[in-house]
């Protein structure tokens, strides 16, 4: 079953306004990245990885040619490098996202992309319901959080310990 990593832009944060920008990266082998490496990198907007791929492949082929390696061996070596590209395509995508100040939010195991999105947002929305101070709602004109909201430290006083305050003074009406 495929594994997906979920990434969100750091400046916008991981709130309801940024959900359309979340990126799901499937881990595993990418066939089209192996077959059409540079085009796959262009399609996914991995510019620095594309430049590195072109420079590496040119230097690799030039190095093999200068060593006197035969043409068939160079083609075989290029096939191995393309296979490596297929295996590491998702890593390159995650690396590019992390360079762009994105952060990884979660890891989801699912059969396909749609199921991964559904599972992630079900789990993520449960966490978001626990947030008491919804600043986004306040900015839209909603009422600010009130004192009676459970979970806030000032909503109820803390109980006095059984032995009195720090054990120094006995409780009123207690035995000595």
């Amino acid at each position: 079953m495929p594994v997906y990593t979920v990434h969100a832009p750091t400046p916008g944060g991981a709130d309801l306004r940024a959900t359309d920008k979340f990126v799901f990266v499937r881990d595993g082998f990418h066939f089209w990245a192996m077959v059409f490496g540079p085009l796959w990198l262009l399609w996914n907007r991995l510019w620095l990885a594309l430049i590195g791929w072109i420079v590496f492949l040119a230097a690799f082929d030039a190095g093999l040619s200068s060593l006197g390696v035969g043409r068939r061996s160079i083609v075989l070596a290029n096939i191995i490098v393309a296979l490596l590209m297929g295996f590491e395509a998702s890593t390159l995508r995650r690396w590019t996202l992390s360079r762009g100040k994105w952060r990884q939010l979660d890891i989801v195991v699912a059969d396909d992309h749609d199921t991964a999105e559904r599972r992630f947002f079900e789990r993520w929305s449960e966490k978001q319901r626990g947030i008491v101070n919804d600043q986004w709602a306040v900015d839209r004109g909603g009422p600010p959080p009130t004192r009676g909201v459970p979970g806030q430290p000032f909503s109820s006083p803390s109980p006095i310990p059984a032995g009195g305050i720090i054990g120094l003074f006995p409780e009123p009406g207690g035995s000595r």
Side-chain angles (χ1 to χ4, degrees):
M1 191 172 285
V3 176
Y4 293 84
T5 55
V6 184
H7 304 267
T10 301
D15 60 2
L16 293 175
R17 292 174 285 185
T19 55
D20 60 334
K21 296 177 185 170
F22 287 3
V23 175
F24 290 76
V25 179
R26 181 181 60 84
D27 198 20
F29 185 76
H30 292 265
F31 177 76
W32 296 115
M34 180 192 77
V35 175
F36 301 112
L39 294 177
W40 188 88
L41 291 170
L42 275 173
W43 180 263
N44 288 290
R45 305 173 91 191
L46 306 174
W47 312 120
L48 195 56
L50 175 65
I51 292 169
W53 172 263
I54 292 170
V55 168
F56 172 76
L57 211 52
F60 186 67
D61 287 349
L64 289 177
S65 294
S66 68
L67 290 174
V69 176
R71 195 80 176 129
R72 287 185 183 179
S73 298
I74 292 175
V75 169
L76 181 62
N78 284 339
I79 290 172
I80 292 171
V81 170
L83 190 63
L84 179 65
M85 176 64 181
F87 280 115
E88 295 300 324
S90 56
T91 304
L92 289 172
R93 196 155 176 223
R94 279 191 216 90
W95 175 73
T96 301
L97 287 171
S98 69
R99 284 190 65 252
K101 306 224 186 306
W102 288 62
R103 65 184 175 122
Q104 182 176 331
L105 293 179
D106 201 359
I107 297 173
V108 182
V109 179
D111 289 327
D112 59 356
H113 188 271
D114 293 335
T115 308
E117 281 186 4
R118 192 173 328 108
R119 283 184 182 172
F120 167 74
F121 282 115
E122 284 172 0
R123 199 166 42 200
W124 186 74
S125 63
E126 287 296 321
K127 291 178 193 173
Q128 297 301 312
R129 285 188 192 133
I131 296 175
V132 174
N133 186 5
D134 187 8
Q135 188 61 40
W136 190 40
V138 173
D139 291 344
R140 289 181 299 157
T146 61
R147 291 182 148 257
V149 175
Q152 292 186 354
F154 52 81
S155 62
S156 64
S158 59
I160 296 176
I165 300 174
I166 313 176
L168 298 176
F169 304 102
E171 285 187 26
S175 63
R176 288 195 168 211

